[in-house]
Amino acid sequence: MWTLTPWVGGLWVAPDARRRGVASALVAYAAEKAREQRVRAVHALTAGAEVVFRRLGWQRIACRLIEGQDYRVLRMAL
């Protein structure tokens, strides 16, 4: 699983800016940049923002418990 590449990561939205579409815009922008590079799919790992990714067409491909925290591995075909 960890050989999946490339990854969208390091995205974070300040609490006072949440629920305003910022996370969706960041994820969409990252996917668009990957498309421009002719990438066929991108992946993400999240513990709390799966709904944001799913709303944008990402699919869950795995669940992992890492250091006691549940994570979702997501993929978006481009």
Side-chain angles (χ1 to χ4, degrees):
M1 178 194 72
W2 300 115
T3 59
L4 300 173
T5 188
W7 290 82
V8 172
L11 305 178
W12 183 81
V13 178
D16 62 334
R18 293 179 184 163
R19 299 239 182 258
R20 297 182 186 172
V22 175
S24 293
L26 287 170
V27 171
Y29 181 80
E32 181 57 34
K33 289 299 169 186
R35 268 188 210 96
E36 289 174 8
Q37 298 296 313
R38 292 180 167 62
V39 170
R40 293 184 180 194
V42 289
H43 304 85
L45 181 71
T46 184
E50 181 177 5
V51 68
V52 173
F53 288 91
R54 302 278 305 235
R55 232 182 288 143
L56 295 170
W58 293 63
Q59 295 181 333
R60 182 190 316 158
I61 60 171
C63 298
R64 293 289 183 264
L65 185 64
I66 303 170
E67 296 183 7
Q69 175 73 43
D70 281 325
Y71 285 90
R72 304 295 184 254
V73 181
L74 302 153
R75 178 181 192 273
M76 179 178 212
L78 301 175

